[in-house]
Amino acid sequence: MHNTQDPHWRDYLFQGHPPAELSTWVQRLRYFRFCKAYGAHSNDGDQLLAALRYVDAADLRRLLAQLGTWAPLSAQLIALPSGLLTVAGQQVSAWHYDLPEPRLMLAIRDLNNPYEVTAATIAAAEAVEQQLALQESRIIDPPQDNRYCVCPQYYPELWEKR
């Protein structure tokens, strides 16, 4: 499943965003990773993902506060309203889960075209990354551990200019 060199896979991965464009994006972004849509019947789109670790609900509350945002609490669970947060003035989809380790997932999509990553998406991610820089020790890379996630582990050639 992790064959990143399969020609059919690469045609799909780079459909809409050739390697040179993705290489430019990875030069600009430090924490967010371009993740290709699973496609088919999943009704997902391309997105930028970042993941941050936390220890428990109290730590997750601290993390959200440090990101300059909040979420209401429901018993021991933090409910992310509609899955949307505002971080650094940008709308970010957010969710959290505990397995394989507790993590807060942040996703950025183009607000006008939620199935594509665009220049506006990259600019929004750059703004959010200014907040994430303060949480660098919490970053989980890759945020999605498979070939759909354009990260140094799977596509080192895109980082060669760094």
Side-chain angles (χ1 to χ4, degrees):
M1 171 142 188
H2 290 297
N3 181 1
T4 61
Q5 299 306 311
D6 174 64
H8 297 293
W9 168 251
R10 293 181 78 80
D11 286 346
Y12 175 67
L13 178 68
F14 296 127
Q15 177 184 20
H17 303 293
E21 182 176 27
L22 290 182
S23 183
T24 299
W25 291 353
V26 304
Q27 303 301 316
R28 291 175 60 185
L29 298 174
R30 186 167 182 180
Y31 308 116
F32 278 96
R33 302 292 183 228
F34 174 80
C35 294
K36 187 68 177 170
Y38 284 100
H41 297 288
S42 62
N43 194 31
D44 63 340
D46 296 346
Q47 61 187 337
L48 298 176
L49 283 180
L52 296 99
R53 67 179 47 86
Y54 63 90
V55 177
D56 54 25
D59 191 34
L60 179 56
R61 284 192 294 275
R62 279 191 299 278
L63 173 58
L64 291 169
Q66 291 164 350
L67 292 174
T69 192
W70 66 277
L73 301 178
S74 169
Q76 294 292 328
L77 184 65
I78 295 178
L80 299 174
S82 303
L84 297 176
L85 300 175
T86 300
V87 178
Q90 305 300 314
Q91 188 174 7
V92 177
S93 297
W95 64 97
H96 62 92
Y97 53 88
D98 293 328
L99 298 173
E101 65 181 311
R103 64 178 59 198
L104 173 67
M105 300 295 295
L106 303 176
I108 299 179
R109 296 176 181 92
D110 188 291
L111 297 176
N112 297 314
N113 184 355
Y115 295 100
E116 291 292 330
V117 170
T118 64
T121 317
I122 300 298
E126 287 175 317
V128 173
E129 282 195 346
Q130 292 179 19
Q131 289 290 101
L132 295 185
L134 302 172
Q135 304 300 324
E136 190 167 42
S137 65
R138 293 180 181 261
I139 297 293
I140 299 169
D141 192 28
Q144 178 179 298
D145 194 6
N146 59 35
R147 71 181 181 172
Y148 290 83
C149 184
V150 175
C151 60
Q153 293 87 326
Y154 293 110
Y155 304 96
E157 70 276 11
L158 297 175
W159 271 261
E160 288 177 357
K161 294 180 182 175
R162 273 201 161 169

